[in-house]
Amino acid sequence: MDWRIPLGAIDFDGQEEAAVLDVLRSRWLTMGGVTQAFEQEFAASVGARHAIAVSNATAALHLACLACGLGPGDEVIVPSLSFVATANAVRYVGATPVFADITSEDDLTLSVESIRRCLTPRTRAIIVMHYGGYACDMNSILGMAKEHGLSVIEDAAHADGSSLDGRSLGVWGAVGCYSFFSNKNMTTGEGGMLVTNDDTLAESLRTLRSHGMTSLTWERHKGHAWSYDVTAVGYNFRIDEIRSAIGRVQLAKLDQFNARRAQVVDWYHEYLQELAPALHIPFQSHRGQSCHHIFPVLLPAGSDRPAFMEAMKAQKIQTSIHYPPIHTFGAYKDLFPMDGGLPVTEAVSRREVTLPLYPGLTQDEILFVAQAVQRALHDSAPT
Ligand SMILES: *Cc1c(COP(=O)(O)O)cnc(C)c1O
């Protein structure tokens, strides 16, 4: 499909190309000095003691669950309004995801009250997801976790560059997991990062990332080690130097990218309020500083969403849905039957449409999208 305005667009220039070429010419492709530099720069940017680069955020979530000691018999509270990886990670380690509802049609992050209702004597952890880059109510959630002795893992895949009370999202819980997938605020194609302030967790995450081995090929190449022990049944969840090189350049541009996204969101608010007042826009007021990963809107109740999305497509504007609730998927609904159990998630996810958002969008393009939304609302109005 030849979109006039795609949902997202990658912002690369000669710097990413030069960084990749440098790695190719160095002839060292697997995790080494470039990855170490990327980890140090990322740790500094979010204010974490440790950053551990991995192959993707799904692997990061998997390792976070392992490092927090989650396993069979344990219950982990997760949002259903998230990407499926948030819940899959819990199942990889044999634990049971328990789905909590979101707060409201203004705040699509986990409801503290709903989390409280999900607590049982088996609850061991909560995985929060900062939807769209907007912070969950971390003060309340951490307070509850402390009271009940629970680990908090942050799925910060949407939150590259977000903060709350001046502190980066991803460094509030025990472990934070970021994604550098192609559609995220900074990208390495595929890639992810774990952060933690806990030395023991960091050690465990680092070891599990690479087969449970006590030394890396890189360290042996450098002459720092001759052999190794295997101290755990680990995985190969490593990133590589090419991706880390792209990541370093993207990280340096992240604040600029996010400032441009914030400007685009301001234009959306201005034009949509004028041209499409029937549309509900979540997060108009919100906690903290968002990196504006996506721009979700809610159609009026009873609208024909496929008709809306078709009308946008007819004007060559790409839209998406974030998300079909995880508990309604085929691989989940039989194991976790809870239809009607998450009323806010179910109501919101039926009405949600995501409009294009990326740093390169211009004011004229946002006006064009808003005018298209005005027409598409007409074509999809409740009958
Ligand atoms: C993208 C995403 C992931 C998975 O990230 P990958 O790097 O693609 O594995 C996990 N959770 C959420 C909320 C995401 O948006």
Side-chain angles (χ1 to χ4, degrees):
M1 180 73 196
D2 178 24
W3 302 107
R4 172 162 171 184
I5 304 189
L7 195 64
I10 289 177
D11 196 316
F12 279 170
D13 60 28
Q15 290 181 72
E16 284 84 357
E17 294 174 13
V20 168
L21 263 183
D22 280 349
V23 171
L24 295 182
R25 288 175 178 152
S26 79
R27 297 293 187 270
W28 189 270
L29 302 184
T30 60
M31 264 190 349
V34 179
T35 299
Q36 281 173 356
F38 182 34
E39 290 176 339
Q40 279 160 14
E41 288 158 8
F42 197 90
S45 83
V46 299
R49 264 174 80 78
H50 304 279
I52 298 130
V54 287
S55 46
N56 55 67
T58 305
L61 287 161
H62 184 173
L63 293 188
C65 288
L66 284 172
C68 288
L70 304 175
D74 297 334
E75 291 180 358
V76 181
I77 299 172
V78 300
S80 179
L81 194 74
S82 182
F83 184 57
V84 67
T86 315
N88 279 349
V90 176
R91 293 181 68 185
Y92 296 157
V93 302
T96 304
V98 176
F99 295 107
D101 211 346
I102 55 169
T103 306
S104 69
E105 58 174 49
D106 291 308
D107 178 355
L108 313 190
T109 68
L110 274 175
S111 150
V112 175
E113 272 321 298
S114 178
I115 295 175
R116 198 180 292 285
R117 285 194 298 273
C118 292
L119 292 171
T120 77
R122 292 174 165 238
T123 310
R124 289 281 312 281
I126 304 168
I127 305 184
V128 301
M129 197 282 273
H130 304 294
Y131 184 107
Y134 299 94
C136 295
D137 183 354
M138 291 311 288
N139 288 303
S140 303
I141 292 171
L142 287 181
M144 196 188 322
K146 194 164 179 199
E147 192 183 319
H148 296 272
L150 312 175
S151 303
V152 174
I153 296 170
E154 291 178 80
D155 180 338
H158 287 200
D160 299 327
S162 286
S163 64
L164 173 64
D165 302 341
R167 186 164 150 206
S168 292
L169 298 186
V171 298
W172 286 70
V175 184
C177 307
Y178 303 85
S179 174
F180 310 132
F181 182 63
S182 298
N183 64 5
K184 299 303 191 319
N185 286 37
M186 58 173 277
T187 184
T188 60
E190 298 276 1
M193 191 72 80
L194 285 151
V195 301
T196 182
N197 287 325
D198 182 311
D199 297 347
T200 312
L201 284 176
E203 171 78 22
S204 161
L205 294 167
R206 242 177 238 293
T207 309
L208 288 168
R209 166 181 65 174
S210 192
H211 308 290
M213 289 162 66
T214 52
S215 78
L216 293 173
T217 313
W218 169 249
E219 288 154 346
R220 294 192 295 280
H221 173 75
K222 286 265 162 188
H224 296 161
W226 294 115
S227 186
Y228 56 84
D229 188 19
V230 170
T231 55
V233 181
Y235 298 82
N236 177 356
F237 286 165
R238 293 186 303 260
I239 197 165
D240 61 68
E241 297 287 86
I242 299 172
R243 288 182 174 79
S244 292
I246 298 171
R248 293 181 70 191
V249 178
Q250 288 271 294
L251 178 61
K253 296 176 177 177
L254 182 62
D255 285 347
Q256 265 171 277
F257 287 162
N258 289 347
R260 279 154 65 192
R261 284 173 178 271
Q263 170 67 75
V264 170
V265 168
D266 284 346
W267 289 329
Y268 265 131
H269 285 161
E270 183 187 331
Y271 289 132
L272 288 174
Q273 257 143 32
E274 186 188 323
L275 297 172
L279 210 60
H280 183 80
I281 304 177
F283 297 112
Q284 297 211 53
S285 70
H286 57 87
R287 284 171 220 99
Q289 191 90 31
S290 176
C291 69
H292 302 289
H293 172 53
I294 53 174
F295 188 70
V297 297
L298 304 186
L299 303 183
S303 297
D304 182 345
R305 180 167 59 182
F308 179 90
M309 295 175 78
E310 276 301 324
M312 295 297 282
K313 183 178 169 188
Q315 297 174 77
K316 298 194 173 187
I317 298 168
Q318 188 182 16
T319 59
S320 180
I321 296 171
H322 289 88
Y323 291 93
I326 299 172
H327 71 281
T328 63
F329 287 138
Y332 277 86
K333 65 172 189 276
D334 297 336
L335 284 169
F336 308 101
M338 56 185 315
D339 220 20
L342 301 175
V344 189
T345 294
E346 286 164 26
V348 162
S349 72
R350 271 195 291 274
R351 294 168 54 200
E352 197 276 341
V353 173
T354 303
L355 300 180
L357 177 55
Y358 50 92
L361 281 166
T362 64
Q363 188 165 4
D364 284 347
E365 286 172 328
I366 299 308
L367 176 59
F368 176 75
V369 175
Q371 287 166 338
V373 166
Q374 183 180 32
R375 282 190 292 268
L377 277 177
H378 184 263
D379 293 351
S380 62
T383 44

